[in-house]
Coordinates of all heavy atoms in Angstrom, one line a residue:
M1 N 179.7 -31.1 -113.4 CA 179.5 -29.8 -114.0 C 180.0 -28.7 -113.1 O 179.8 -28.8 -111.9 CB 178.0 -29.6 -114.3 CG 177.7 -28.2 -114.8 SD 176.0 -28.0 -115.4 CE 175.1 -28.6 -114.0
K2 N 180.8 -27.8 -113.6 CA 181.3 -26.7 -112.8 C 180.7 -25.4 -113.4 O 180.7 -25.1 -114.6 CB 182.8 -26.6 -112.9 CG 183.5 -27.8 -112.3 CD 184.9 -27.9 -112.6 CE 185.5 -29.2 -112.1 NZ 186.8 -29.5 -112.7
I3 N 180.1 -24.6 -112.5 CA 179.6 -23.3 -112.9 C 180.3 -22.2 -112.1 O 180.3 -22.2 -110.9 CB 178.1 -23.3 -112.6 CG1 177.3 -24.4 -113.3 CG2 177.5 -21.9 -112.9 CD1 175.8 -24.5 -112.9
A4 N 180.8 -21.2 -112.9 CA 181.4 -20.1 -112.2 C 180.5 -18.9 -112.5 O 180.0 -18.6 -113.6 CB 182.8 -19.8 -112.8
V5 N 180.3 -18.1 -111.4 CA 179.5 -16.9 -111.5 C 180.4 -15.7 -111.3 O 180.9 -15.5 -110.3 CB 178.3 -16.9 -110.5 CG1 177.5 -15.7 -110.6 CG2 177.4 -18.2 -110.7
V6 N 180.5 -14.8 -112.3 CA 181.3 -13.6 -112.3 C 180.5 -12.5 -112.8 O 179.5 -12.6 -113.5 CB 182.6 -13.8 -113.1 CG1 183.5 -14.9 -112.5 CG2 182.3 -14.0 -114.5
G7 N 181.0 -11.3 -112.5 CA 180.3 -10.1 -113.0 C 180.7 -8.8 -112.2 O 181.5 -8.9 -111.2
K8 N 180.2 -7.7 -112.6 CA 180.5 -6.4 -112.0 C 179.9 -6.4 -110.6 O 179.0 -7.2 -110.2 CB 179.8 -5.3 -112.8 CG 180.5 -5.1 -114.2 CD 179.8 -4.1 -115.0 CE 179.9 -2.7 -114.4 NZ 179.3 -1.7 -115.3
G9 N 180.4 -5.5 -109.8 CA 180.0 -5.3 -108.4 C 178.5 -5.0 -108.4 O 178.0 -4.2 -109.2
G10 N 177.8 -5.7 -107.5 CA 176.4 -5.5 -107.3 C 175.5 -6.0 -108.4 O 174.3 -5.7 -108.5
S11 N 176.0 -6.8 -109.3 CA 175.2 -7.3 -110.5 C 174.4 -8.5 -110.2 O 173.6 -9.0 -111.0 CB 176.1 -7.6 -111.6 OG 177.1 -8.6 -111.3
G12 N 174.5 -9.1 -108.9 CA 173.7 -10.2 -108.6 C 174.4 -11.5 -108.5 O 173.8 -12.6 -108.5
K13 N 175.7 -11.5 -108.5 CA 176.5 -12.8 -108.5 C 176.1 -13.7 -107.3 O 175.9 -14.9 -107.4 CB 178.0 -12.5 -108.4 CG 178.6 -11.6 -109.5 CD 180.0 -11.4 -109.3 CE 180.4 -10.5 -108.1 NZ 179.9 -9.1 -108.3
T14 N 176.1 -13.1 -106.1 CA 175.9 -13.9 -104.9 C 174.5 -14.5 -104.9 O 174.3 -15.7 -104.6 CB 176.2 -13.1 -103.6 OG1 177.5 -12.6 -103.7 CG2 175.9 -13.9 -102.4
T15 N 173.5 -13.6 -105.2 CA 172.1 -14.1 -105.2 C 171.9 -15.2 -106.3 O 171.3 -16.2 -106.0 CB 171.2 -12.9 -105.6 OG1 171.5 -11.8 -104.7 CG2 169.7 -13.3 -105.5
T16 N 172.5 -15.0 -107.5 CA 172.4 -16.0 -108.5 C 173.0 -17.3 -108.1 O 172.5 -18.4 -108.3 CB 173.0 -15.5 -109.8 OG1 172.3 -14.3 -110.2 CG2 172.9 -16.5 -111.0
S17 N 174.2 -17.2 -107.5 CA 174.9 -18.4 -107.1 C 174.1 -19.2 -106.0 O 174.0 -20.4 -106.1 CB 176.3 -18.0 -106.4 OG 177.1 -17.3 -107.4
A18 N 173.5 -18.5 -105.1 CA 172.8 -19.2 -104.0 C 171.5 -19.8 -104.6 O 171.2 -21.0 -104.3 CB 172.4 -18.2 -102.9
V19 N 170.8 -19.1 -105.5 CA 169.6 -19.7 -106.1 C 170.0 -20.9 -106.9 O 169.3 -22.0 -106.9 CB 168.9 -18.6 -106.9 CG1 167.7 -19.3 -107.7 CG2 168.3 -17.5 -106.0
L20 N 171.0 -20.8 -107.7 CA 171.4 -21.9 -108.6 C 171.8 -23.1 -107.7 O 171.4 -24.3 -107.9 CB 172.7 -21.5 -109.4 CG 172.5 -21.0 -110.8 CD1 173.9 -20.6 -111.3 CD2 171.8 -22.0 -111.7
A21 N 172.6 -22.9 -106.6 CA 173.1 -24.0 -105.8 C 171.9 -24.7 -105.1 O 171.8 -25.9 -105.1 CB 174.0 -23.4 -104.7
R22 N 171.0 -23.9 -104.5 CA 169.9 -24.5 -103.8 C 168.9 -25.2 -104.8 O 168.4 -26.3 -104.5 CB 169.2 -23.5 -102.9 CG 170.1 -23.1 -101.8 CD 169.4 -22.3 -100.7 NE 168.3 -23.0 -100.1 CZ 167.7 -22.5 -99.0 NH1 168.2 -21.5 -98.4 NH2 166.7 -23.2 -98.5
T23 N 168.7 -24.6 -105.9 CA 167.8 -25.2 -106.9 C 168.3 -26.6 -107.4 O 167.6 -27.6 -107.5 CB 167.5 -24.3 -108.1 OG1 167.0 -23.0 -107.6 CG2 166.6 -24.9 -109.1
L24 N 169.6 -26.6 -107.7 CA 170.2 -27.8 -108.2 C 170.2 -28.9 -107.1 O 170.0 -30.1 -107.4 CB 171.6 -27.6 -108.7 CG 171.7 -26.8 -110.0 CD1 173.1 -26.3 -110.3 CD2 171.2 -27.6 -111.2
A25 N 170.5 -28.5 -105.9 CA 170.5 -29.4 -104.8 C 169.1 -30.0 -104.5 O 168.9 -31.2 -104.3 CB 171.0 -28.8 -103.5
R26 N 168.1 -29.2 -104.6 CA 166.7 -29.6 -104.5 C 166.3 -30.6 -105.6 O 165.4 -31.5 -105.4 CB 165.7 -28.5 -104.5 CG 165.7 -27.6 -103.2 CD 164.7 -26.5 -103.3 NE 164.9 -25.6 -102.2 CZ 164.2 -24.5 -102.0 NH1 163.1 -24.3 -102.8 NH2 164.4 -23.7 -101.1
Q27 N 166.9 -30.5 -106.7 CA 166.7 -31.4 -107.8 C 167.4 -32.7 -107.7 O 167.3 -33.6 -108.6 CB 167.0 -30.7 -109.2 CG 166.0 -29.6 -109.5 CD 166.5 -28.9 -110.8 OE1 167.5 -29.1 -111.3 NE2 165.6 -28.0 -111.3
G28 N 168.2 -32.8 -106.6 CA 168.9 -34.1 -106.4 C 170.4 -34.1 -106.7 O 171.1 -35.1 -106.6
H29 N 170.9 -33.0 -107.2 CA 172.3 -32.9 -107.6 C 173.2 -32.7 -106.3 O 172.7 -32.1 -105.3 CB 172.6 -31.8 -108.5 CG 171.9 -31.9 -109.9 ND1 172.4 -32.7 -110.9 CD2 170.8 -31.4 -110.3 CE1 171.6 -32.7 -111.9 NE2 170.6 -31.8 -111.6
S30 N 174.4 -33.2 -106.3 CA 175.3 -33.0 -105.3 C 176.0 -31.7 -105.5 O 176.7 -31.5 -106.6 CB 176.4 -34.1 -105.2 OG 177.3 -33.9 -104.3
V31 N 175.8 -30.7 -104.7 CA 176.3 -29.3 -104.9 C 177.3 -28.9 -103.9 O 177.1 -29.0 -102.7 CB 175.1 -28.3 -104.9 CG1 175.6 -26.9 -105.2 CG2 174.1 -28.7 -106.0
V32 N 178.5 -28.4 -104.4 CA 179.5 -27.8 -103.6 C 179.5 -26.3 -104.0 O 179.8 -26.0 -105.2 CB 180.9 -28.4 -103.8 CG1 181.9 -27.7 -103.0 CG2 180.8 -29.9 -103.3
A33 N 179.3 -25.4 -103.1 CA 179.4 -24.0 -103.4 C 180.7 -23.4 -102.8 O 180.9 -23.6 -101.6 CB 178.2 -23.3 -102.8
L34 N 181.5 -22.8 -103.7 CA 182.8 -22.3 -103.2 C 182.7 -20.7 -103.4 O 182.5 -20.2 -104.5 CB 183.9 -22.8 -104.1 CG 184.1 -24.3 -104.1 CD1 185.2 -24.7 -105.0 CD2 184.4 -24.8 -102.7
D35 N 182.9 -20.1 -102.3 CA 182.9 -18.6 -102.3 C 184.3 -18.1 -102.3 O 185.0 -18.2 -101.3 CB 182.1 -18.1 -101.0 CG 181.8 -16.6 -101.1 OD1 182.3 -16.0 -102.1 OD2 181.1 -16.1 -100.3
C36 N 184.7 -17.6 -103.4 CA 186.1 -17.0 -103.5 C 186.0 -15.5 -103.7 O 187.0 -14.9 -104.1 CB 186.9 -17.7 -104.6 SG 186.1 -17.8 -106.2
D37 N 184.9 -14.9 -103.4 CA 184.8 -13.5 -103.5 C 185.6 -12.7 -102.4 O 185.8 -13.3 -101.3 CB 183.3 -13.1 -103.3 CG 182.9 -11.7 -103.9 OD1 183.5 -10.7 -103.5 OD2 182.1 -11.7 -104.8
S38 N 186.1 -11.5 -102.8 CA 186.9 -10.8 -101.8 C 186.0 -10.3 -100.6 O 186.4 -10.0 -99.5 CB 187.5 -9.6 -102.5 OG 186.6 -8.8 -103.1
N39 N 184.7 -10.2 -100.9 CA 183.7 -9.9 -99.9 C 182.7 -11.1 -99.8 O 181.6 -11.1 -100.4 CB 182.9 -8.6 -100.2 CG 181.9 -8.3 -99.2 OD1 181.9 -8.7 -98.1 ND2 180.9 -7.5 -99.7
P40 N 183.2 -12.2 -99.1 CA 182.4 -13.4 -99.1 C 181.2 -13.5 -98.3 O 181.3 -13.5 -97.1 CB 183.5 -14.5 -98.7 CG 184.4 -13.7 -97.8 CD 184.3 -12.3 -98.2
N41 N 180.0 -13.4 -98.9 CA 178.8 -13.5 -98.1 C 177.8 -14.5 -98.7 O 176.6 -14.3 -98.5 CB 178.1 -12.1 -98.0 CG 178.0 -11.4 -99.3 OD1 178.1 -12.0 -100.4 ND2 177.8 -10.1 -99.3
L42 N 178.3 -15.4 -99.5 CA 177.4 -16.4 -100.0 C 176.7 -17.2 -98.9 O 175.6 -17.7 -99.1 CB 178.2 -17.4 -100.9 CG 177.5 -18.5 -101.7 CD1 176.3 -17.9 -102.5 CD2 178.4 -19.3 -102.5
G43 N 177.4 -17.4 -97.8 CA 176.8 -18.1 -96.7 C 175.4 -17.5 -96.3 O 174.5 -18.2 -95.9
I44 N 175.4 -16.2 -96.3 CA 174.2 -15.5 -95.9 C 173.1 -15.8 -96.9 O 171.9 -16.2 -96.5 CB 174.4 -13.9 -95.9 CG1 175.6 -13.5 -95.0 CG2 173.1 -13.2 -95.5 CD1 175.3 -13.6 -93.6
S45 N 173.4 -15.7 -98.2 CA 172.4 -16.0 -99.2 C 172.0 -17.5 -99.2 O 170.8 -17.8 -99.6 CB 172.9 -15.6 -100.6 OG 173.1 -14.2 -100.6
L46 N 172.9 -18.3 -98.9 CA 172.6 -19.8 -98.9 C 171.7 -20.2 -97.7 O 171.1 -21.2 -97.6 CB 173.8 -20.6 -98.9 CG 174.5 -20.8 -100.3 CD1 175.8 -21.6 -100.1 CD2 173.6 -21.6 -101.2
G47 N 171.8 -19.3 -96.6 CA 171.0 -19.6 -95.4 C 171.7 -20.3 -94.3 O 171.1 -20.9 -93.4
V48 N 173.1 -20.2 -94.2 CA 173.8 -20.8 -93.1 C 173.8 -19.9 -91.9 O 174.2 -20.3 -90.8 CB 175.2 -21.2 -93.4 CG1 175.2 -22.2 -94.6 CG2 176.1 -20.1 -93.7
G49 N 173.5 -18.6 -92.1 CA 173.4 -17.7 -91.0 C 174.7 -16.8 -90.9 O 175.7 -17.1 -91.4
D50 N 174.5 -15.7 -90.1 CA 175.6 -14.8 -90.0 C 176.8 -15.4 -89.3 O 178.0 -15.2 -89.7 CB 175.1 -13.6 -89.1 CG 174.1 -12.7 -89.9 OD1 173.9 -13.0 -91.1 OD2 173.6 -11.8 -89.3
D51 N 176.6 -16.1 -88.2 CA 177.7 -16.6 -87.4 C 178.5 -17.6 -88.1 O 179.8 -17.6 -88.1 CB 177.2 -17.2 -86.1 CG 176.6 -16.2 -85.1 OD1 176.9 -15.0 -85.3 OD2 175.9 -16.6 -84.1
E52 N 177.8 -18.5 -88.8 CA 178.6 -19.6 -89.5 C 179.3 -19.0 -90.7 O 180.4 -19.4 -91.1 CB 177.6 -20.7 -90.0 CG 178.2 -21.9 -90.7 CD 179.3 -22.6 -89.9 OE1 179.4 -22.3 -88.7 OE2 179.9 -23.5 -90.4
T53 N 178.7 -18.0 -91.4 CA 179.3 -17.3 -92.5 C 180.6 -16.6 -92.0 O 181.7 -16.7 -92.6 CB 178.4 -16.3 -93.1 OG1 177.2 -17.0 -93.6 CG2 179.1 -15.5 -94.3
E54 N 180.5 -16.0 -90.9 CA 181.7 -15.3 -90.3 C 182.8 -16.3 -89.9 O 184.0 -16.0 -90.1 CB 181.2 -14.5 -89.1 CG 182.3 -13.6 -88.5 CD 183.0 -12.7 -89.5 OE1 182.3 -12.1 -90.3 OE2 184.2 -12.5 -89.5
R55 N 182.4 -17.5 -89.4 CA 183.4 -18.5 -89.0 C 184.1 -18.9 -90.3 O 185.4 -19.1 -90.2 CB 182.6 -19.7 -88.4 CG 183.6 -20.7 -87.8 CD 182.8 -21.9 -87.2 NE 182.3 -22.8 -88.3 CZ 183.0 -23.7 -88.9 NH1 184.2 -23.9 -88.6 NH2 182.4 -24.4 -89.9
L56 N 183.4 -19.2 -91.4 CA 184.1 -19.6 -92.6 C 185.0 -18.5 -93.1 O 186.1 -18.8 -93.6 CB 183.0 -20.0 -93.7 CG 182.1 -21.2 -93.3 CD1 181.0 -21.3 -94.4 CD2 183.0 -22.5 -93.3
V57 N 184.6 -17.3 -93.1 CA 185.4 -16.2 -93.5 C 186.7 -16.1 -92.7 O 187.8 -15.9 -93.2 CB 184.6 -14.9 -93.5 CG1 185.5 -13.7 -93.8 CG2 183.4 -14.9 -94.5
S58 N 186.5 -16.3 -91.4 CA 187.7 -16.2 -90.5 C 188.7 -17.3 -90.8 O 189.9 -17.1 -90.7 CB 187.2 -16.4 -89.0 OG 186.4 -15.3 -88.7
M59 N 188.2 -18.5 -91.2 CA 189.1 -19.5 -91.5 C 189.9 -19.2 -92.8 O 191.1 -19.5 -92.9 CB 188.4 -20.9 -91.7 CG 187.9 -21.5 -90.4 SD 187.6 -23.2 -90.6 CE 186.1 -23.1 -91.5
R60 N 189.3 -18.5 -93.7 CA 190.1 -18.1 -94.9 C 191.1 -17.1 -94.6 O 192.2 -17.1 -95.1 CB 189.1 -17.6 -96.0 CG 189.9 -17.3 -97.3 CD 189.1 -16.9 -98.5 NE 188.6 -15.6 -98.4 CZ 187.9 -15.0 -99.4 NH1 187.5 -15.7 -100.4 NH2 187.5 -13.8 -99.3
Q61 N 190.7 -16.2 -93.6 CA 191.7 -15.2 -93.2 C 192.9 -15.8 -92.6 O 194.0 -15.4 -92.8 CB 191.0 -14.2 -92.2 CG 190.2 -13.2 -93.0 CD 189.3 -12.3 -92.0 OE1 189.2 -12.6 -90.8 NE2 188.7 -11.3 -92.6
S62 N 192.7 -16.9 -91.8 CA 193.8 -17.6 -91.2 C 194.7 -18.2 -92.2 O 195.9 -18.2 -92.1 CB 193.2 -18.7 -90.2 OG 192.5 -18.2 -89.2
L63 N 194.1 -18.7 -93.3 CA 194.9 -19.3 -94.4 C 195.7 -18.2 -95.0 O 196.9 -18.4 -95.2 CB 193.9 -19.9 -95.4 CG 193.3 -21.2 -95.2 CD1 192.2 -21.5 -96.2 CD2 194.4 -22.3 -95.2
D64 N 195.1 -17.1 -95.3 CA 195.8 -16.0 -96.0 C 196.9 -15.4 -95.2 O 197.9 -14.9 -95.7 CB 194.8 -14.9 -96.4 CG 193.8 -15.4 -97.5 OD1 194.1 -16.4 -98.2 OD2 192.8 -14.7 -97.7
E65 N 196.7 -15.5 -93.8 CA 197.7 -14.9 -92.9 C 198.8 -16.0 -92.6 O 199.7 -15.7 -91.8 CB 197.1 -14.4 -91.7 CG 196.3 -13.1 -92.0 CD 195.3 -12.7 -90.9 OE1 195.3 -13.4 -89.8 OE2 194.5 -11.8 -91.1
G66 N 198.6 -17.2 -93.1 CA 199.6 -18.2 -92.8 C 199.5 -18.9 -91.5 O 200.4 -19.7 -91.1
D67 N 198.4 -18.7 -90.8 CA 198.2 -19.3 -89.5 C 197.6 -20.7 -89.7 O 197.5 -21.5 -88.7 CB 197.2 -18.5 -88.7 CG 197.7 -17.1 -88.4 OD1 199.0 -17.0 -88.3 OD2 197.0 -16.2 -88.2
E68 N 197.2 -21.0 -90.8 CA 196.5 -22.3 -91.1 C 197.1 -22.9 -92.4 O 197.3 -22.1 -93.3 CB 195.0 -22.1 -91.3 CG 194.2 -23.4 -91.4 CD 193.7 -23.9 -90.1 OE1 193.3 -23.2 -89.2 OE2 193.9 -25.2 -89.9
A69 N 197.3 -24.2 -92.5 CA 197.9 -24.8 -93.7 C 196.7 -25.0 -94.7 O 195.6 -25.3 -94.4 CB 198.5 -26.1 -93.4
H70 N 197.1 -24.8 -96.0 CA 196.1 -25.1 -97.1 C 195.8 -26.5 -97.2 O 196.7 -27.4 -96.9 CB 196.6 -24.6 -98.4 CG 196.5 -23.1 -98.5 ND1 195.5 -22.5 -99.2 CD2 197.3 -22.1 -98.0 CE1 195.7 -21.2 -99.2 NE2 196.7 -20.9 -98.5
A71 N 194.6 -26.9 -97.5 CA 194.2 -28.3 -97.8 C 194.8 -28.7 -99.1 O 194.9 -27.9 -100.1 CB 192.7 -28.4 -97.8
P72 N 195.3 -30.0 -99.2 CA 196.0 -30.4 -100.4 C 195.0 -30.8 -101.5 O 195.4 -30.9 -102.7 CB 196.7 -31.7 -99.9 CG 195.9 -32.2 -98.8 CD 195.4 -30.9 -98.1
G73 N 193.7 -30.9 -101.3 CA 192.8 -31.3 -102.3 C 191.4 -30.8 -101.9 O 191.2 -30.4 -100.8
W74 N 190.5 -30.9 -102.8 CA 189.2 -30.3 -102.6 C 188.3 -31.1 -101.6 O 187.5 -30.6 -100.9 CB 188.4 -30.1 -103.9 CG 187.7 -31.2 -104.5 CD1 188.2 -32.2 -105.3 CD2 186.3 -31.5 -104.4 NE1 187.3 -33.1 -105.6 CE2 186.1 -32.7 -105.1 CE3 185.2 -30.9 -103.7 CZ2 184.8 -33.2 -105.2 CZ3 184.0 -31.4 -103.8 CH2 183.8 -32.6 -104.6
D75 N 188.6 -32.5 -101.5 CA 187.9 -33.2 -100.5 C 188.2 -32.7 -99.1 O 187.3 -32.5 -98.2 CB 188.3 -34.7 -100.5 CG 187.5 -35.4 -101.6 OD1 186.4 -34.9 -102.0 OD2 187.9 -36.5 -102.0
E76 N 189.5 -32.4 -98.9 CA 189.9 -31.9 -97.6 C 189.4 -30.5 -97.3 O 189.2 -30.1 -96.2 CB 191.4 -32.1 -97.4 CG 191.8 -31.9 -95.9 CD 193.3 -32.2 -95.7 OE1 193.9 -33.0 -96.5 OE2 193.8 -31.7 -94.7
V77 N 189.3 -29.8 -98.4 CA 188.8 -28.4 -98.3 C 187.4 -28.5 -97.6 O 187.1 -27.7 -96.6 CB 188.7 -27.7 -99.6 CG1 187.8 -26.4 -99.5 CG2 190.0 -27.4 -100.2
L78 N 186.6 -29.4 -98.1 CA 185.2 -29.5 -97.5 C 185.3 -30.0 -96.1 O 184.5 -29.6 -95.2 CB 184.4 -30.4 -98.4 CG 184.1 -29.7 -99.8 CD1 183.3 -30.7 -100.6 CD2 183.3 -28.4 -99.6
D79 N 186.1 -31.0 -95.8 CA 186.2 -31.6 -94.5 C 186.6 -30.6 -93.5 O 186.1 -30.5 -92.4 CB 187.2 -32.8 -94.5 CG 186.6 -34.0 -95.2 OD1 185.4 -34.0 -95.4 OD2 187.4 -34.9 -95.5
R80 N 187.6 -29.8 -93.8 CA 188.2 -28.9 -92.9 C 187.6 -27.5 -92.8 O 187.5 -26.9 -91.8 CB 189.7 -28.7 -93.1 CG 190.5 -30.0 -92.7 CD 192.0 -29.9 -93.1 NE 192.6 -28.6 -92.8 CZ 193.7 -28.1 -93.3 NH1 194.3 -28.8 -94.2 NH2 194.2 -27.0 -93.0
F81 N 187.1 -27.1 -94.0 CA 186.7 -25.7 -94.1 C 185.3 -25.5 -94.6 O 184.8 -24.4 -94.8 CB 187.6 -24.9 -95.1 CG 189.1 -25.0 -94.7 CD1 190.0 -25.7 -95.4 CD2 189.5 -24.3 -93.6 CE1 191.3 -25.7 -95.1 CE2 190.8 -24.3 -93.2 CZ 191.7 -25.0 -94.0
G82 N 184.6 -26.7 -94.7 CA 183.2 -26.6 -95.3 C 182.2 -26.5 -94.2 O 182.4 -26.7 -93.0
S83 N 181.0 -26.3 -94.7 CA 179.8 -26.2 -93.8 C 178.6 -26.7 -94.6 O 178.5 -26.5 -95.8 CB 179.6 -24.7 -93.4 OG 178.5 -24.6 -92.5
E84 N 177.7 -27.3 -93.8 CA 176.4 -27.8 -94.4 C 175.4 -26.7 -94.5 O 175.1 -26.1 -93.5 CB 175.9 -29.0 -93.6 CG 176.7 -30.2 -93.6 CD 176.8 -30.9 -95.0 OE1 175.8 -30.9 -95.7 OE2 177.9 -31.5 -95.3
A85 N 174.9 -26.4 -95.7 CA 173.9 -25.4 -95.9 C 172.6 -26.0 -96.2 O 172.5 -27.3 -96.5 CB 174.4 -24.5 -97.1
P86 N 171.5 -25.3 -96.1 CA 170.2 -25.8 -96.4 C 170.1 -26.5 -97.8 O 170.9 -26.2 -98.7 CB 169.3 -24.6 -96.3 CG 170.0 -23.7 -95.4 CD 171.4 -23.9 -95.7
D87 N 169.2 -27.5 -97.9 CA 169.0 -28.2 -99.1 C 170.1 -29.2 -99.5 O 170.2 -29.7 -100.6 CB 168.7 -27.3 -100.3 CG 167.4 -26.6 -100.2 OD1 166.4 -27.1 -99.7 OD2 167.3 -25.4 -100.5
G88 N 171.1 -29.3 -98.5 CA 172.2 -30.3 -98.8 C 173.4 -29.7 -99.5 O 174.3 -30.4 -99.9
V89 N 173.3 -28.3 -99.7 CA 174.5 -27.7 -100.4 C 175.7 -27.7 -99.4 O 175.5 -27.5 -98.2 CB 174.1 -26.2 -100.7 CG1 175.4 -25.5 -101.2 CG2 173.0 -26.2 -101.7
R90 N 176.8 -28.0 -99.9 CA 178.0 -27.8 -99.0 C 178.8 -26.6 -99.4 O 179.1 -26.4 -100.6 CB 178.9 -29.1 -99.2 CG 178.3 -30.3 -98.5 CD 179.1 -31.6 -98.7 NE 178.9 -31.9 -100.2 CZ 179.7 -32.8 -100.8 NH1 180.7 -33.4 -100.1 NH2 179.6 -33.0 -102.1
L91 N 179.1 -25.8 -98.5 CA 179.7 -24.5 -98.7 C 181.1 -24.4 -98.1 O 181.4 -24.8 -97.0 CB 178.9 -23.4 -98.1 CG 179.5 -22.0 -98.0 CD1 179.7 -21.3 -99.4 CD2 178.6 -21.1 -97.1
A92 N 182.1 -23.8 -98.9 CA 183.4 -23.5 -98.3 C 183.8 -22.1 -98.8 O 183.5 -21.7 -100.0 CB 184.4 -24.5 -98.7
V93 N 184.4 -21.3 -98.0 CA 184.9 -20.0 -98.4 C 186.4 -20.3 -98.6 O 187.1 -20.7 -97.7 CB 184.8 -18.9 -97.3 CG1 185.4 -17.6 -97.7 CG2 183.3 -18.7 -97.0
V94 N 186.8 -20.1 -99.9 CA 188.1 -20.6 -100.3 C 189.0 -19.5 -100.7 O 188.6 -18.4 -101.1 CB 188.0 -21.7 -101.5 CG1 187.2 -22.9 -101.0 CG2 187.3 -21.0 -102.7
S95 N 190.3 -19.9 -100.7 CA 191.4 -19.0 -101.1 C 192.0 -19.5 -102.4 O 191.6 -19.2 -103.5 CB 192.4 -18.8 -100.0 OG 193.5 -18.0 -100.4
R96 N 192.9 -20.5 -102.2 CA 193.4 -21.2 -103.4 C 193.8 -22.6 -102.9 O 193.9 -22.9 -101.7 CB 194.7 -20.5 -103.9 CG 195.8 -20.5 -102.9 CD 197.1 -20.0 -103.5 NE 198.3 -20.4 -102.8 CZ 198.7 -19.8 -101.7 NH1 198.0 -18.8 -101.2 NH2 199.8 -20.2 -101.0
I97 N 194.1 -23.5 -103.8 CA 194.5 -24.8 -103.5 C 196.0 -25.0 -103.9 O 196.3 -24.8 -105.1 CB 193.6 -25.9 -104.1 CG1 192.2 -25.8 -103.6 CG2 194.2 -27.3 -103.9 CD1 191.2 -26.7 -104.3
D98 N 196.9 -25.3 -103.0 CA 198.3 -25.5 -103.4 C 198.4 -26.8 -104.1 O 197.8 -27.8 -103.8 CB 199.1 -25.6 -102.1 CG 199.3 -24.2 -101.5 OD1 199.1 -23.2 -102.2 OD2 199.7 -24.1 -100.3
N99 N 199.2 -26.8 -105.1 CA 199.5 -28.0 -106.0 C 198.3 -28.7 -106.4 O 198.1 -29.9 -106.1 CB 200.5 -28.9 -105.2 CG 201.7 -28.2 -104.7 OD1 202.3 -27.5 -105.4 ND2 202.0 -28.4 -103.4
P100 N 197.4 -28.1 -107.1 CA 196.1 -28.7 -107.5 C 196.4 -29.9 -108.4 O 197.3 -29.8 -109.3 CB 195.3 -27.6 -108.1 CG 196.4 -26.7 -108.6 CD 197.5 -26.7 -107.6
E101 N 195.6 -30.9 -108.3 CA 195.7 -32.0 -109.2 C 195.0 -31.6 -110.6 O 194.2 -30.6 -110.6 CB 194.9 -33.2 -108.7 CG 195.5 -33.8 -107.4 CD 194.6 -34.9 -106.8 OE1 193.6 -35.1 -107.4 OE2 195.0 -35.4 -105.7
P102 N 195.4 -32.2 -111.7 CA 194.8 -31.9 -113.0 C 193.3 -32.0 -112.9 O 192.7 -32.9 -112.3 CB 195.4 -32.9 -113.9 CG 196.6 -33.4 -113.3 CD 196.4 -33.3 -111.8
G103 N 192.6 -31.0 -113.4 CA 191.1 -31.0 -113.4 C 190.6 -30.4 -112.1 O 189.4 -30.3 -112.0
C104 N 191.5 -30.1 -111.1 CA 191.0 -29.6 -109.9 C 190.3 -28.2 -110.2 O 190.8 -27.4 -111.0 CB 192.1 -29.4 -108.9 SG 191.7 -28.6 -107.4
L105 N 189.2 -28.0 -109.5 CA 188.6 -26.6 -109.7 C 189.5 -25.5 -109.3 O 189.4 -24.4 -109.7 CB 187.3 -26.6 -108.9 CG 187.3 -27.1 -107.5 CD1 187.6 -26.0 -106.5 CD2 186.0 -27.8 -107.1
Ligands
ATP1 N1 167.4 -10.9 -110.2 C1 167.4 -9.8 -109.3 N2 166.4 -9.0 -109.3 C2 166.4 -7.9 -108.5 N3 167.3 -7.7 -107.5 C3 168.3 -8.5 -107.5 C4 168.4 -9.7 -108.3 N4 169.6 -10.3 -108.0 C5 170.1 -9.6 -107.0 N5 169.4 -8.6 -106.6 C6 169.7 -7.6 -105.6 O1 170.8 -6.8 -106.0 C7 171.6 -6.6 -104.9 C8 173.0 -7.1 -105.3 O2 172.9 -8.5 -105.4 P1 174.2 -9.4 -105.0 O3 174.7 -9.1 -103.6 O4 173.8 -10.8 -105.3 O5 175.2 -8.9 -106.0 P2 176.8 -9.2 -106.1 O6 177.2 -9.2 -107.6 O7 177.1 -10.5 -105.4 O8 177.4 -8.0 -105.3 P3 178.9 -7.8 -104.8 O9 179.7 -7.3 -106.0 O10 178.8 -6.6 -103.8 O11 179.4 -9.1 -104.2 C9 171.0 -7.2 -103.7 O12 170.3 -6.2 -103.0 C10 170.1 -8.3 -104.3 O13 169.0 -8.6 -103.4
MG2 MG1 178.5 -10.8 -103.8

């Protein structure tokens, strides 16, 4: 199942995403949380902390500036750019995936 959370500025997207991710993970689901917001702070709401959130954001900036190669698929996105969040949620701050396979998020 894929869930996308969108909405106007300040409408509760990040809070809703974090609560959904952690609730589903606590129920035993395997949860990958992808933050593609222009102001990515899902890590804060998920509970990985300021420093780790900043580290993930910096990696996306390196991608956008061409200093880092994009991962070819989502498994590698998590291996290279992901972080373990509380309740077993896996978080990555993402930009885009080059040459995505069919069905790729
Ligand atoms: N269900 C809710 N009830 C009351 N306050 C809420 C609720 N959800 C979020 N908030 C509060 O509203 C504010 C904005 O929430 P949040 O940061 O999740 O929104 P956002 O849509 O991600 O914002 P942005 O567009 O800036 O990324 C925060 O202070 C948050 O604590
Ligand atoms: Mg937000």
Side-chain angles (χ1 to χ4, degrees):
M1 176 170 53
K2 297 168 186 163
I3 301 173
V5 179
V6 297
K8 292 174 69 174
S11 58
K13 299 179 295 294
T14 299
T15 307
T16 300
S17 300
V19 170
L20 267 176
R22 290 189 62 166
T23 300
L24 289 169
R26 285 183 194 182
Q27 290 175 351
H29 297 281
S30 176
V31 178
V32 174
L34 301 175
D35 193 353
C36 52
D37 202 300
S38 55
N39 178 23
N41 51 17
L42 182 57
I44 306 284
S45 294
L46 278 175
V48 303
D50 292 355
D51 291 346
E52 183 62 5
T53 299
E54 186 54 40
R55 189 183 73 82
L56 295 173
V57 173
S58 297
M59 284 200 288
R60 184 173 81 178
Q61 281 169 351
S62 297
L63 282 169
D64 290 343
E65 290 164 6
D67 298 332
E68 186 88 44
H70 282 261
W74 82 278
D75 277 341
E76 195 172 334
V77 167
L78 292 177
D79 287 344
R80 286 174 47 199
F81 303 108
S83 183
E84 293 293 325
D87 294 321
V89 174
R90 287 173 295 165
L91 167 69
V93 177
V94 297
S95 176
R96 68 173 196 278
I97 297 175
D98 285 342
N99 305 314
E101 294 172 2
C104 176
L105 47 91

